[in-house]
Amino acid sequence: MDKSLSYNHIQTAHCENGVATGLLRHHGLEFMTEPLMFGLGSGIFYIHIPFLMVNGGPAISYRSMPGWIFSRSSKLLGVKVNRKKFNSEKEAYDYLNKQIQLGNPVGCQVGVYNLPYFPAEYRFHFNAHNLVVYGKENGLYLVSDPVMETVTTLTEEDMLKVRFAKGPLAPKGHVYYPEDVKQVSKEQLQKAIYKAINRTAFEMIHIPGPIAGVDGINYTARQIRKWRDKLGPRKAGLYLGQIVRMQEEIGTGGGGFRFLYAAFLEQAADITGNQKLISLSDEFTKAGDLWRASAINMGRIFKGRLNEQKDFLECADMLDNIAAIERAAFKELRKIKV
Amino acid sequence: MKKEDLPQDPSALVGVTRDVCYVKDKDGKYTTDLSIGWDVKKQALDNAWEDINERIAEAAIKVKNGEISPIYYFMEKKLMDLPLLAGYTGFWQWTIKRHFKPEVFKGLSESRLQKYAKAFDVSVDELKNFNG
């Protein structure tokens, strides 16, 4: 069964944005861009989950739940996303082959630990990576992975391994693709943008509890103030390193997704003609720049140059400052109306 | 971040891919650019690996001293934890903890060892004969 479907590979900062954007373009929504997808899907977020450890460090995320970006943006655009998960590897294998036969490029959720083309240093047990399968030739799947510069391939064996990675967020062979994609009018898109902005701002400000939304940033700051005494300098430094990795690693676009959101607001201003969005885009650029500055500051600690309690306090203060800027910006975004 | 400020510090990405970053161009408009890495995050990643490698080395010593079974060592080596290993093997977490005991490990059936070997992507012999 050899078949290569026409699918335009796109490289994006974030894998889910990339797969969703690529698939919607494939289905005729040519205007779709990564920032637009990210904004419509309310991708920007912040959460610090207490008591949960990821790779031996704090569980912090700068984005919403995996899968939500595509689901939420599709809903706003009137697109249906068909999703399938499997208990049996055989069924999952057959289903993917069938989609290729039908000429349908599909998104697959995979674990990165066994992804052979990934740099070894990045191969952790992270199960919410996404890629597009657009064909099969000589027993190899043709793969468009949005974090790669060019297309790549996977053997049948590797594909099954990564689709059936185990642990948190286990993909269970998850395959998805958009269905019944109709053209989106300018008015429809404008309305979707306003709705998405409002939802994002609502979540960042009003989500209950101290650990999520902008409040979560203050929560992390409070934790950082305790880390050095509680964990010792070395481990506390490693924890800061984990924050920086979640914030800056491949897939974030830099600045904990804040630059990506600023780019969305800039495009949103173009599409809606609402100039207020330009100045709010600038606020998120500022936030992103401060996140970068915070990373540099944390880096001085985990590189071993600084290691006093006052250095940790300074890191925490920087986060409180970022939280204040984001809180003000999201409050303004709440007021944005058609 | 301005386009000209985007760091280009060689990292683990070199030769594999580059990182898409959102930056401002000369006119103050957003655009994307590719980065080969940033030393701040490279250091964070290097530290994480250093920590992992220390844990693996400690596990090897414990196996050598007969304090713990090779299952623990391979769990660390494959960057797993109990919930993850439970996911791959189908064993309960407390069952796995019991298998960490060298004397329990010695009595494990071939089929159970096979499950661990598969999860760790090693042969049963490698698993059985690992002695630090």
Side-chain angles (χ1 to χ4, degrees), chain B:
Chain B
M1 181 169 44
K2 290 186 188 129
K3 190 170 170 157
E4 61 265 31
D5 296 334
L6 182 67
Q8 298 288 355
D9 307 326
S11 73
L13 296 176
V14 172
V16 184
T17 189
R18 284 179 291 173
D19 195 0
V20 172
C21 292
Y22 280 78
V23 291
K24 290 255 189 178
D25 66 14
K26 277 195 229 79
D27 308 320
K29 280 252 175 201
Y30 264 102
T31 180
T32 57
D33 200 2
L34 293 168
S35 163
I36 58 169
W38 186 25
D39 70 345
V40 172
K41 62 183 197 184
K42 179 182 184 298
Q43 186 71 51
L45 187 60
D46 287 352
N47 286 0
W49 275 101
E50 207 178 282
D51 190 52
I52 291 165
N53 288 329
E54 268 174 36
R55 284 214 304 271
I56 297 170
E58 277 166 26
I61 290 170
K62 280 188 185 166
V63 175
K64 199 173 181 178
N65 295 342
E67 294 166 41
I68 209 152
S69 80
I71 291 172
Y72 179 81
Y73 167 81
F74 280 104
M75 179 181 84
E76 290 286 351
K77 189 164 163 57
K78 299 289 170 174
L79 315 186
M80 293 182 172
D81 55 13
L82 276 173
L84 196 56
L85 185 52
Y88 274 101
T89 56
F91 298 135
W92 297 100
Q93 291 186 35
W94 59 265
T95 309
I96 297 172
K97 267 192 196 162
R98 237 172 58 79
H99 298 164
F100 285 165
K101 293 185 182 154
E103 61 278 14
V104 177
F105 177 73
K106 275 186 203 112
L108 283 185
S109 68
E110 197 69 11
S111 67
R112 289 191 153 195
L113 287 172
Q114 189 57 51
K115 280 190 180 168
Y116 281 116
K118 188 168 179 254
F120 297 139
D121 203 14
V122 295
S123 69
V124 172
D125 276 346
E126 271 177 88
L127 178 63
K128 266 203 305 212
N129 298 327
F130 179 80
N131 54 12

Side-chain angles (χ1 to χ4, degrees), chain A residues 34 125 147 149 285 289 302, chain B residues 1 18 22 30 47 78:
Chain A
E34 175 176 29
H125 293 277
V147 307
E149 289 182 65
T285 303
D289 285 335
F302 59 70
Chain B
M1 181 169 44
R18 284 179 291 173
Y22 280 78
Y30 264 102
N47 286 0
K78 299 289 170 174

Side-chain angles (χ1 to χ4, degrees), chain A residues 231-280:
Chain A
L231 308 161
R234 186 177 170 273
K235 189 122 204 193
L238 277 172
Y239 274 32
L240 292 182
Q242 172 108 332
I243 295 183
V244 170
R245 284 172 54 218
M246 294 302 114
Q247 179 190 316
E248 297 297 334
E249 260 319 342
I250 192 161
T252 63
F257 295 94
R258 270 54 187 168
F259 295 137
L260 197 39
Y261 200 69
F264 160 68
L265 291 177
E266 185 186 280
Q267 291 187 12
D270 268 356
I271 296 166
T272 61
N274 189 331
Q275 290 309 303
K276 185 88 183 66
L277 292 174
I278 290 282
S279 63
L280 286 166

